[in-house]
Structures are given as structure tokens and as C-alpha cells.
Amino acid sequence: MSQNVLAACNQEMEFLYTLAGWEGSAHDITVLRDAIYSKGFKTPEKKYWLGDAGYSNTNTVLAPYRGTRYHLKETRLSGKKPENSKELFNLWHASLRNVIERIFRVLKRKYQILRTPSEYSIATQTRIILACCTLHNWVRSLEGVNADVLLEQESDASRRSRASVQPAVAYPDGAVTSKKMDKFRDELAEKMWSDYQRYLANGGLEEQFE
């Protein structure tokens, strides 16, 4: 049985929090609620997490605009450039949030047991996932940023897979978006767009996003 694993990491590719054990069909917001209210997931004061389209905006999670292109360097190089503030916001959001995609890709390449269907019980599978995340952090604490250089090399297929449009997601009952975070996102997106337009008007080159 597949699992829905909630994980948070920093830009140094270290896991800060991991919750495993939920069935794969569980909605991301349901898992997040369990993490916050029952499993000790904390958000530092005046900080927030970047979540994917499976999350709505909350007071501690900033999600991308849904129904809006969410692309990275590869699609920009193919000629697709942001056409409005929402697309630019999603591009920058994807660029920053890409670290969680990278860390899971590295984890699965490093520990092959995570790539194949398991015959272990859910309880044992959960312990394996947590153990692999812990080992990942331990290795990086010893080897630093060079720990997973070879494992981070991406195939062309994985690069192409990142260009997408954020889908419409059916949120579970009781899920409510944060109006405060919605407003913050809109203001941030408009500021990004104004800065971007001014930068281009002054002869700046199109930026490359990783």
C-alpha cells in the first residue's frame, strides 16, 4: 500500500520534519492537520512553509496559484515566459520549493528499498522511511553539500516532468483557505511583477531559474 509522507526541509537539503504512516489516498491537508495537532509539527514564529497545489493557503503554508502555469528553467528556455504576476509568482515558488523534490529524488536513489513495493507491514514501512530520512541527514552532516552531488544529476525526463499547470484540487471537508495568506500572496506577486517589469525595462536579461 502506498503512503502519503509529509516532509519539510531546508535549502541545505536536510529534513526538518517527517510524518509517515498515512495511506496514499489521504489528502495532504488531512495529513498536515494530523502533523500540526497531534504529531508535533511546529512552524517557527513569523515563518511559513512553501506547499504544493495539494495545500490551500493557511497561516503557516504558502501555496502556489492553482489553474496557473507552474514552471521552471526548462520551460522558460523553450520560450515560455511568465505573462502575469501569478505566473511569475508560481515560477519563483517552484524554484524555491524545488528543494523538496530534489531531496526525495536523492533519498529514493540512495535507498533503493523506497523505490519498490514493500511486503513489510505499514508500521515497519513507516520506520524504514523515517530511518532513511535520518540517515540522509546524518550523511549530509558529515559530508556537507558534496554529499549527494552524483545522486542529484537529473535525467532529461525528470526535467521535463516539472512543467505543469496547477490542477484543481478537491479539498477535504472543513478545509478553509487563509484570507490573510491569500492577501499576502497577492501583494507579494504584484511586487514581484513590478520589480520584474522594471528590471526588464532597464535592460535586464531574462533570469534563469533552477
Side-chain angles (χ1 to χ4, degrees):
M1 184 176 77
S2 64
Q3 289 197 38
N4 186 335
V5 178
L6 183 152
C9 72
N10 58 25
Q11 291 296 318
E12 285 68 49
M13 288 186 65
E14 300 167 329
F15 286 103
L16 302 178
Y17 180 90
T18 307
L19 174 62
W22 276 87
E23 62 273 15
S25 61
H27 197 284
D28 290 346
I29 292 179
T30 301
V31 180
L32 177 62
R33 285 174 178 165
D34 182 49
I36 293 173
Y37 296 114
S38 302
K39 301 298 191 306
F41 182 42
K42 304 295 184 183
T43 301
E45 187 176 358
K46 297 183 179 180
K47 302 292 183 180
Y48 54 84
W49 307 99
L50 297 180
D52 62 24
Y55 300 94
S56 59
N57 276 340
T58 72
N59 289 336
T60 57
V61 175
L62 180 63
Y65 287 102
R66 304 215 325 271
T68 300
R69 192 175 304 281
Y70 192 72
H71 52 191
L72 286 176
K73 177 180 176 181
E74 293 74 25
T75 50
R76 289 191 49 128
L77 291 178
S78 69
K80 296 179 181 178
K81 301 174 183 178
E83 298 178 353
N84 52 56
S85 62
K86 291 182 178 180
E87 285 199 1
L88 182 65
F89 176 88
N90 275 11
L91 190 151
W92 275 106
H93 189 285
S95 180
L96 289 173
R97 205 189 66 80
N98 182 45
V99 65
I100 196 69
E101 309 291 345
R102 290 165 52 208
I103 197 172
F104 271 115
R105 187 162 53 246
V106 165
L107 195 72
K108 290 179 179 179
R109 289 178 179 177
K110 187 186 298 182
Y111 305 111
Q112 297 293 309
I113 193 171
L114 299 178
R115 303 187 66 177
T116 57
S118 176
E119 297 180 356
Y120 295 109
S121 67
I122 292 298
T124 298
Q125 290 180 42
T126 298
R127 289 194 292 270
I128 290 172
I129 293 170
L130 297 179
C132 290
C133 292
T134 302
L135 285 172
H136 169 87
N137 280 2
W138 181 70
V139 170
R140 290 191 75 85
S141 72
L142 294 178
E143 300 183 13
V145 295
N146 297 319
D148 304 305
V149 172
L150 295 179
L151 292 174
E152 282 199 76
Q153 293 179 351
E154 301 176 86
S155 65
D156 290 338
S158 68
R159 288 177 181 271
R160 288 194 297 269
S161 70
R162 296 207 215 126
S164 64
V165 172
Q166 292 299 286
V169 177
Y171 292 140
D173 293 340
V176 179
T177 186
S178 167
K179 299 303 181 184
K180 179 180 178 181
M181 189 63 86
D182 288 348
K183 183 173 184 282
F184 171 74
R185 180 178 63 185
D186 289 342
E187 291 174 348
L188 184 59
E190 289 301 326
K191 185 177 187 307
M192 285 180 175
W193 185 249
S194 295
D195 290 346
Y196 178 65
Q197 293 299 308
R198 185 164 52 252
Y199 173 75
L200 294 180
N202 290 332
L205 298 175
E206 290 287 339
E207 297 193 39
Q208 305 300 310
F209 295 83
E210 298 298 334

